[in-house]
Amino acid sequence: MKIITTTVMLHILLFTSQVIANETSPKSTIERFVSYSNYGSGDVFVSLEYNGSICNYGYYLNKEDQGFEANYSMLISAYHAYAKVILIGLDKGEKWSGSGNTVCKLYSVELVK
């Protein structure tokens, strides 16, 4: 019974690590901020002075995402204030088709001092 329980738990951990994978950027300022009217569903691209090592070209938001308005608002405020942010990008299966470089789907925005 212990072997079966251990095997099931191991499979759950492996599956979870493949589905939920993200990368946290260094604390940095926004260097580039682009909004597309006709690409995707109104996608927004953001790049930091220092992006993460996996999401090395930047991050994108899709207007269809539930947290789009809150994230967009925080990003535009940070951009105009030259404030530092930490972005978390999904680095598994969420690459943006708008670039040949590695652009990760944005998971969260954190404003930091």
Side-chain angles (χ1 to χ4, degrees):
M1 187 63 156
K2 282 185 176 185
I3 293 173
I4 293 172
T5 304
T6 304
T7 304
V8 169
M9 292 300 288
L10 195 57
H11 285 313
I12 290 171
L13 287 173
L14 287 173
F15 178 74
T16 304
S17 68
Q18 290 176 357
V19 173
I20 303 170
N22 53 45
E23 177 189 50
T24 303
S25 75
K27 186 179 357 177
S28 187
T29 55
I30 297 171
E31 192 165 284
R32 194 163 172 227
F33 199 45
V34 183
S35 178
Y36 295 91
S37 60
N38 288 317
Y39 191 81
S41 60
D43 291 354
V44 173
F45 168 81
V46 61
S47 182
L48 302 176
E49 182 179 11
Y50 304 106
N51 294 309
S53 60
I54 295 171
C55 306
N56 58 1
Y57 194 71
Y59 308 84
Y60 79 96
L61 296 87
N62 183 291
K63 195 170 183 181
E64 301 295 318
D65 293 338
Q66 190 171 6
F68 176 85
E69 290 180 20
N71 287 331
Y72 184 77
S73 175
M74 290 177 72
L75 287 169
I76 203 160
S77 295
Y79 178 75
H80 286 295
Y82 301 99
K84 293 192 184 276
V85 296
I86 294 175
L87 302 183
I88 297 179
L90 300 172
D91 67 358
K92 296 274 189 200
E94 294 289 338
K95 304 294 187 258
W96 188 46
S97 61
S99 175
N101 298 307
T102 304
V103 177
C104 297
K105 186 168 189 172
L106 187 68
Y107 177 74
S108 68
V109 177
E110 180 181 348
L111 298 175
V112 292
K113 289 188 178 196

